[in-house]
Amino acid sequence: MVLAGQTETYCTVLVSYDKEFNANQIKDALESGSEKEKREAMKKCVYMMLNGENMSQLFMTIVRYVLPSEDHTIQKLLLLYLEQLQKKDHQGKLLPEMILICQNLRNNLQHPNEFLRGVTLRFLCRIKEIEILEPLIPSVLSNLEHRHSFVRRSAAMCVKAIYDLFGDQLLPDASEMILENFLASEQDVSARRNALLMLCTTAPEMAVQYLLSQLDQLPAWPDIL
């Protein structure tokens, strides 16, 4: 039940944690601690948020001292923090400071490390704010052609998640792009499965046509497909 004046939130991670942490101590660790201390501080911050604590007061500290980190664990924890963070005001409008994270997400989507690209794409699957997603669409689509299969399959998942929410508004040619470009050349089985799932949702008739065109190869397809 959502009370009047509140914005309904959702959570894809649930962790019970019975210890209490001091927000000021976390803030000090993020500002002046080592990489290891920042990792622990971010874990504590995420734990507190998952147990109902409002940690939005740390947002600017995290933007300043955590966003620039190259540590992959810290970046993963940052995405968990951003996922749980309240992004809209009581009127349902995106908070102005949320725009600050868009450049960081774009940088992640263009990062030379495929793990960081992949986890960011999977993070975007759980974002429902169009103002955050819209400027990232070109970077998301470019990852469909990445050399690493983990990135490509994550990109296919992300495209499906965005299309499920916003359809042609953000991805007007998604079905044709997936069928003509991605499925036609993709060799990774998991990536093909993700793309085919999207096609079944967005354009069932095109999915049927594709399957009919592959009839002679169907017996050789692995179980995952």
Side-chain angles (χ1 to χ4, degrees), residues 14 17 34 66 68 90 122 130 150 174 181 183:
L14 182 61
Y17 206 72
S34 63
V66 177
H90 66 281
R122 290 168 185 254
I130 190 172
F150 171 65
N181 299 329
L183 277 174

Side-chain angles (χ1 to χ4, degrees), residues 197-216:
L197 282 173
M198 178 198 161
L199 203 60
C200 289
T201 302
T202 61
E205 68 287 349
M206 295 180 68
V208 170
Q209 292 177 7
Y210 173 75
L211 291 173
L212 289 175
S213 70
Q214 300 292 312
L215 277 179
D216 57 333

